[in-house]
Amino acid sequence: MHAPSPTTVTTLAELETLYGEVGEASRVKETDRLIPEYRAWIEAAPFLVLATSGPEGLDCSPRGDVPGFVRVADDRTLLIPDRRGNNRIDSLRNIVRDPRVALLFLVPGMGETLRVNGQAAISAVPDLLDSFSIDGKPPKSVLVVHVGAVFFQCSRAIVRSDLWNPERHMPRGSLPTAGQMLAAASGNRVGGDDYDRALPERVRATLY
């Protein structure tokens, strides 16, 4: 272990001195409920990232569906269907033991993002699950998120990354495929070309 260098930040006071004061706009944009303007962003978002915490550590998981898939029940409550996945349920395992969650909503083409912090519970009430059915297939559960704080994030990260520019999209062959990554991680026990060939149809058939 190396001793901390003189430039290592180890206290809140040092951190706040390094970055300076928070601007007024950054303070007042945070609300404890979903104002209509923030609700509009959630209802337009087809994608979010869910962050959770548990005894084994942190988890960050993507969630996506048609815009409006996250239902605004009221100005302090969001409902998020948990669609089919790989059954690792890392996020859900965390929520059972630590209800704190953070959400980051993205809308294609928009520079701003929307952030929601709160606490979540996992509901398996049949009527609620049925209300989220697609093609007759309900989710296994619904996250009931009780909103604690909401605010938008400015566009700098999206602008710097040029995220929505189709000219920056990478050719699919430029990175390892799912089958290649799986084969490498498993010592070639699973994955490979057969996995890649079957994957598109498997994804299509198991979306819901």
Side-chain angles (χ1 to χ4, degrees):
M1 296 291 291
H2 298 286
S5 71
T7 55
T8 298
V9 177
T10 59
T11 69
L12 287 178
E14 292 172 343
L15 183 64
E16 291 166 356
T17 298
L18 178 64
Y19 277 88
E21 294 186 3
V22 179
E24 182 182 16
S26 296
R27 292 195 303 270
V28 303
K29 68 183 179 181
E30 181 177 331
T31 65
D32 63 356
R33 57 177 51 82
L34 297 165
I35 60 176
E37 291 76 9
Y38 289 167
R39 175 173 182 156
W41 275 79
I42 290 172
E43 293 176 338
F47 184 85
L48 66 87
V49 179
L50 166 67
T52 60
S53 177
E56 293 83 19
L58 305 175
D59 185 70
C60 193
S61 176
R63 296 287 189 273
D65 212 324
V66 297
F69 79 100
V70 176
R71 185 181 300 168
V72 181
D74 56 51
D75 64 0
R76 290 179 180 271
T77 311
L78 296 174
L79 303 174
I80 307 174
D82 193 65
R83 300 295 183 189
R84 291 186 64 169
N86 55 21
N87 291 338
R88 283 180 57 105
I89 55 174
D90 297 306
S91 299
L92 303 184
R93 293 179 191 276
N94 283 348
I95 289 169
V96 165
R97 296 169 294 176
D98 184 341
R100 294 176 299 169
V101 296
L103 310 174
L104 176 68
F105 290 89
L106 286 88
V107 178
M110 298 295 176
E112 291 79 15
T113 56
L114 191 74
R115 296 169 60 176
V116 177
N117 297 329
Q119 297 199 356
I122 302 169
S123 175
V125 175
D127 288 347
L128 180 60
L129 301 184
D130 288 342
S131 73
F132 280 96
S133 291
I134 293 182
D135 297 333
K137 299 174 182 177
K140 287 286 184 69
S141 66
V142 171
L143 285 183
V144 181
V145 178
H146 302 286
V147 173
V150 192
F151 55 96
F152 72 90
Q153 187 81 24
C154 78
S155 63
R156 290 187 185 92
I158 302 297
V159 171
R160 285 192 292 256
S161 67
D162 206 11
L163 182 63
W164 306 125
N165 182 359
E167 295 181 0
R168 297 290 297 275
H169 290 183
M170 297 182 65
R172 186 61 192 91
S174 64
L175 288 172
T177 66
Q180 290 167 343
M181 290 186 286
L182 190 56
S186 68
N188 290 314
R189 292 193 306 277
V190 292
D193 293 341
D194 290 344
Y195 184 92
D196 284 331
R197 280 191 291 268
L199 184 59
E201 175 57 24
R202 183 163 62 250
V203 169
R204 187 202 65 77
T206 58
L207 281 179
Y208 299 103

